[in-house]
Amino acid sequence: NQAYIFLCTVAGGMAIAFLYDIFRIFRKALRPGNVATYFQDLLYWLLVALIMFLTVYYSNDGELRGYLFIGAFAGVVLYALLLSRIVMGSALFIIRIIAKILKAIVYIVSYPFRLVAGVLKAPARKLSRAAVKALRKAGSKSRVRLAKLKFLRKGLSNIRRKV
C-alpha cells in the first residue's frame, strides 16, 4: 500500500514538472511581459497545490507523510532527467513549424492584395498630389477672399462713421 502511495506521489511530481515545462514553452514561444508572468506563476502554484492535494487525497486519504514529499521530489527529478529535454525540444520545434506555415499562408493569401496595392500605388500617389495641390489653391483663394471681406468691412464701417 505504501509503495502504491509513493508511486502516486512520484507520478504527481512528474505531472508538476510537466506543467512547469508547459509554462516554460509558453514563455519561450510568446515572451509575455512581467505582469503576465506574475499571473502565470500564480496560476502555476495554484495548479501545483491542486495536483498535490488530489494526489494525496486519492492515494492516501489526505494523510501527509514524509515519503510523499520525497516521492514528489523524485518525480520532478525523474521527469527533468528523462523527459524534459524531449518535451521542450519537440514542442518548440512544432511551434516553429506551425509559425512558418502560418507565415507562408498569410503571405500567399495577402499576395493579391499586395499586387493590387502595388498597381494602384502610382495613380494613387498622383491623385493625392493633385488633391493636395487643389486644396492649397482653394485655401489661398479663400485667404484672398477673406482679406477682401475684411477690407470691405473696414470700408463700410468708415462710411457709416462719416454718415
Side-chain angles (χ1 to χ4, degrees):
N1 191 25
Q2 288 183 357
Y4 168 75
I5 296 168
F6 182 77
L7 290 176
C8 284
T9 57
V10 168
M14 292 179 84
I16 290 169
F18 177 71
L19 184 64
Y20 183 71
D21 273 353
I22 290 173
F23 279 91
R24 283 176 53 199
I25 290 166
F26 180 77
R27 285 183 185 168
K28 284 189 178 190
L30 298 180
R31 295 189 177 115
N34 291 336
V35 174
T37 301
Y38 170 77
F39 285 111
Q40 287 173 3
D41 288 344
L42 183 65
L43 177 64
Y44 170 75
W45 285 109
L46 289 173
L47 291 174
V48 165
L50 180 68
I51 289 170
M52 282 308 297
F53 173 77
L54 292 175
T55 301
V56 171
Y57 182 76
Y58 284 114
S59 66
N60 199 23
D61 293 329
E63 285 185 43
L64 286 177
R65 304 280 184 201
Y67 64 88
L68 297 178
F69 297 106
I70 295 170
F73 180 73
V76 169
V77 170
L78 278 173
Y79 178 85
L81 292 176
L82 299 176
L83 300 173
S84 183
R85 286 185 184 165
I86 296 168
V87 170
M88 288 290 294
S90 60
L92 291 174
F93 177 74
I94 291 169
I95 288 172
R96 275 189 235 114
I97 288 176
I98 290 172
K100 287 180 182 179
I101 290 171
L102 288 175
K103 284 181 184 178
I105 290 171
V106 167
Y107 182 80
I108 291 169
V109 169
S110 68
Y111 182 75
F113 298 106
R114 289 184 286 121
L115 184 65
V116 169
V119 168
L120 295 177
K121 191 182 224 179
R125 188 176 290 149
K126 288 181 182 177
L127 185 63
S128 69
R129 286 180 185 160
V132 167
K133 199 178 209 181
L135 287 173
R136 285 185 182 156
K137 200 177 216 182
S140 67
K141 285 182 180 178
S142 65
R143 277 187 237 129
V144 169
R145 287 182 190 152
L146 188 62
K148 286 181 181 177
L149 284 174
K150 285 181 181 178
F151 177 75
L152 287 175
R153 282 185 194 158
K154 284 183 181 179
L156 286 175
S157 64
N158 287 338
I159 294 173
R160 286 183 189 164
R161 285 184 198 160
K162 292 179 181 178
V163 174

